[in-house]
Amino acid sequence: MRITVDLNKCIGCGACELACSQKNDGAFRISKARIRVDKGPETILRDKKFAVYVCHQCENAPCILSCPQGALFKDSTTGIVKVDEDKCIGCSLCVQACPYNAIWIDALKGKAFKCQICDQVQPPCVNICPRNALSIGGGE
Amino acid sequence: MAMVTVTLEYTLKFRSITGKDLEKVTLEDKTTIGGILELLKLKYGDIFEKEFANPSGDKIAGAPLLLLNGRALKLPEGLNTYINDGDIITFTYAIAGG
Amino acid sequence: MFGYAGQILKVDLETGKVVKEPLKDELVKGYIGGLGASAKILFESLPPMTEPYSPENVVIFATGPAQGTLIPGSGRGLFVSKSPLTNRIFNSNVGGYIAAELKFAGYDLLAITGRSSKPAYIAIDGDNVEIKPATSMWGKTTYETQAMIKEELGDKSFQVACIGPAGENLVKYSAIIHNLHAAGRGGIASILGWKRLKAIAVRGDKSIEVPDKDALIAFYKEIREKCSKHPTLPGYGTTVALGTINKLGCLGTRNWQTEVFEKAANIDGYTTIPKYKRLDIACTGCPMGCGKVQEVAEGKYAGALAKGPEYETLYALGSLVGVGDFDALVSAARLCDEYGLDTISTGVVIAWAMECYEKGILTKDETDGLELNFGNGDAVNEVIKRIAYKNGYLGNLLARGVKEASEIVGCGSQYFAMHFKGLELAGHSPRGVKGWTLGYSVGWRGGSHHDGRVHDIEYPKTFEERALKYEDKPEIVYKTVHRVMIEESLITCRFFGGYYGPLEPNENHLRILKLTTGFDMTLEELWRTARRIRTLIRCIEVRDGFGRKGDVNAPPLRVLNEPIPEGPSKGAHAKPSEFKVMINRLYDLMGWDRETGKPKSEVLKELGLSDVTI
């Protein structure tokens, strides 16, 4: 399962970023959201759409393959790709490997962070979106 | 019996429901605006009556607006207004923003 | 501190000094934030009669406690300064994402003083604040500038607000552009241009805390539900207001010579949105999504792509200049955004010039060969370019704003220079909506349709109540002015005025204040805060030499002398005798002296402003 985005519906409000960070980081803090929206004017003018970055929970995840510490792994039950913070050294090779721009380094902690589907039934991002642009679905 | 012809203009939601921008209807003299709403109810269902005869919900944010020749009718009293030949009745919403 | 970031950032462009001050409790308890806090800071730091183009003039970028949270409509921020158009304190509101980002960077307000010796931009990266050279960006359009700065800083997530060539060239109604949004009105962009400040760039990594996040999110969902039922804003933005206002017969047309536009259907959102809209866009955390990105697909103006044009622009660059060619209109709107020009003022100035041209007051020599007739959409596009670069006699003249331009040209053209207090008139009829005759005249910004925001209340009314009745308007304007004080201090978007307002400060505002800051204010204290803010703004105006004279002389003579000549609102008239009664009554409500227009000393005392001398 993963968070899927319908870019035809996204209005770039970033409510998902606010709801995600509130849940996963304890306060409103867009920079620590696990789902990010590219709201840049260049993007809008070029594509006439927003871009949304959130982990695809890939089958053969490039981030997992890139990690020298084995700090990234796929949960065998849910298929969710997770970060083992004890092993992560914040080297950012995963950031470069990810084709979806969906993993980042928390500079203060020195650890990678990404969407780990904090709520498999009602993820806060899916729940908050005013245009139903997000859903939780299967596949890659 | 004297007859009058009026134009009904539809905008926004009302356009989607009727499928038209406007239509001309010929009615008996002595028909009221309320009478027109009755006619529209038969033709298109509850929506006109709901919005204009029994308005509910947020009156101001997107208030339904019934115009007679460009002038808003006070509802529900305005429903008793008699129509005249050549009248234009507009079904729309109050403006928001700008 | 809940809701607030807790710091004020001060940057002096001359010395390069960067100072961070804690946000004081007394400031937020007395003034909330946003406009309120800015008024207090400007009252204390601006000398009386400060020249807008001077090192002493402060430009503030302000946020309130709602920014950076999920309060619907909180995607707004304010630029506040002393405007070169009105010579009074002026707040210019901008949407998008930059206000939230300033909060995440750790600041509630940014105050800029001084003047840089070279083109510069301020880069705010959390705790790290630098003044960087902007020599390579100087001269670039607002879109090019944003791209260049983000490239230089190495991160697309920086939010940038900048001026374009118009601001650099000190066009008096130039606009600050952030993303695709504009802090359009008041010419604050030209103050930045004078200070040689090309842009501010912000990125933040901090958080905003609220006392009860579940309650706040529940509030968001409540309002989100209402937004989903809104009949016009989510699907059409404000574009369909053009058709409705035309149907009511109060749409400013051909410089307000009349108020029905025969080509309204061509530019009404109803016709245009299905064909031209490409994307809905929203500001931070907003469930309404009223922004409409539109594109011209074919023809002479193919490729013109802009956020908007929305209602005010459809009025100013459409009906007001007699242009029914939507393609030309989109192109004109796009040019204004790229050069950084306020579409409203631009349209009003051009409409004035068109009337001058048609009356022979401006000749073809003076228009540098352009046939400046109403309806000439190509000419509108050309004139915009000349204004941005102050090109030729016409560009130079019009760049000064309609008040100054009409004073220079004279020959009776001041009669139809459509401004209140120097700010060009927005798209809401001061004749067709009686509340606006008063609202524009007593607003601190003059021709802004936000100061005494009566339309949520007035537009649904009958013709008699909206356009003819005057006795009830002072009370209505008094209440809506104070609502705007609160909403511009929290800061929430005026498009939620229907839900949070629509008339006066009330429990919804108290709820928002509590959800963001935890403050428990009573309704009485909220009203007193609103009055304190408006009164302090009035004190700044008085200190700058303004009072009753400025208010009673605000309406353009066309508005006072000519009733609406035709259409459904024919006969609506801003009668001078009624206007006088309304102003006097409003002064009484405000506690301003009837003769001078100054706040009375007992009012100052009541609001805790007894140390203010005016």
Side-chain angles (χ1 to χ4, degrees), chain A residues 13 29 31-32 39 127, chain C residues 179 205 213 221 224 280 285:
Chain A
C13 69
R29 191 181 179 194
S31 59
K32 291 294 169 284
K39 313 153 187 147
N127 198 256
Chain C
N179 190 282
D205 189 32
K213 64 172 170 71
K221 289 180 178 171
R224 181 185 66 184
D280 289 351

Side-chain angles (χ1 to χ4, degrees), chain A residues 11-13 15 18 22 27-32 38-39 41-42 44-45 48-50 127-131, chain C residues 68 97 104 150 156 179 205-208 213 220-221 224 234 280-282 284-286 288-289 295 305:
Chain A
I11 58 175
C13 69
L18 289 164
Q22 178 61 256
F28 294 118
R29 191 181 179 194
I30 286 177
S31 59
K32 291 294 169 284
D38 178 356
K39 313 153 187 147
E42 311 79 33
I44 300 170
L45 293 173
K48 293 157 229 173
K49 280 201 175 54
F50 294 93
N127 198 256
I128 207 85
C129 179
R131 294 288 178 102
Chain C
Y97 316 105
F104 295 130
K150 288 195 263 193
K156 283 199 303 180
N179 190 282
D205 189 32
K206 299 197 167 98
S207 57
I208 297 297
K213 64 172 170 71
Y220 172 89
K221 289 180 178 171
R224 181 185 66 184
D280 289 351
I281 72 177
T284 305
C286 176
M288 193 75 86
E295 182 182 30
L305 174 65

Side-chain angles (χ1 to χ4, degrees), chain C residues 45-47 50-51 54-58 113-114 195:
Chain C
S45 47
L46 280 184
T50 303
E51 277 298 315
S54 70
E56 295 74 47
N57 192 10
V58 187
T113 48
K195 289 179 185 292

Side-chain angles (χ1 to χ4, degrees), chain C residues 80 89 114 120 128 252 407 437 459:
Chain C
V80 194
I89 178 177
N128 191 37
E407 285 164 1
T437 321
Y459 273 119

Side-chain angles (χ1 to χ4, degrees), chain A residues 9-102:
Chain A
K9 292 183 176 168
C10 177
I11 58 175
C13 69
C16 51
E17 297 173 310
L18 289 164
C20 172
S21 58
Q22 178 61 256
K23 172 88 191 269
N24 291 293
D25 206 70
F28 294 118
R29 191 181 179 194
I30 286 177
S31 59
K32 291 294 169 284
R34 278 79 163 141
I35 179 168
R36 295 305 306 269
V37 184
D38 178 356
K39 313 153 187 147
E42 311 79 33
T43 304
I44 300 170
L45 293 173
R46 182 190 63 225
D47 303 335
K48 293 157 229 173
K49 280 201 175 54
F50 294 93
V52 180
Y53 309 129
V54 67
C55 179
H56 285 226
Q57 317 294 353
C58 304
E59 247 340 283
N60 296 304
C63 59
I64 294 177
L65 296 168
S66 74
C67 180
Q69 306 295 118
L72 285 159
F73 64 98
K74 211 166 188 348
D75 182 296
S76 46
T77 334
T78 60
I80 298 172
V81 176
K82 296 185 177 173
V83 180
D84 181 345
E85 291 202 350
D86 292 331
K87 292 183 180 166
C88 176
I89 57 168
C91 71
S92 80
L93 283 171
C94 55
V95 175
Q96 292 160 57
C98 177
Y100 302 112
N101 297 318

Side-chain angles (χ1 to χ4, degrees), chain C residues 523-540:
Chain C
L523 192 55
E524 206 197 317
E525 286 167 335
L526 186 71
W527 254 105
R528 202 174 313 127
T529 306
R531 289 171 58 223
R532 184 179 305 121
I533 296 169
R534 181 60 184 103
T535 304
L536 192 59
I537 290 175
R538 185 68 173 183
C539 291
I540 299 175

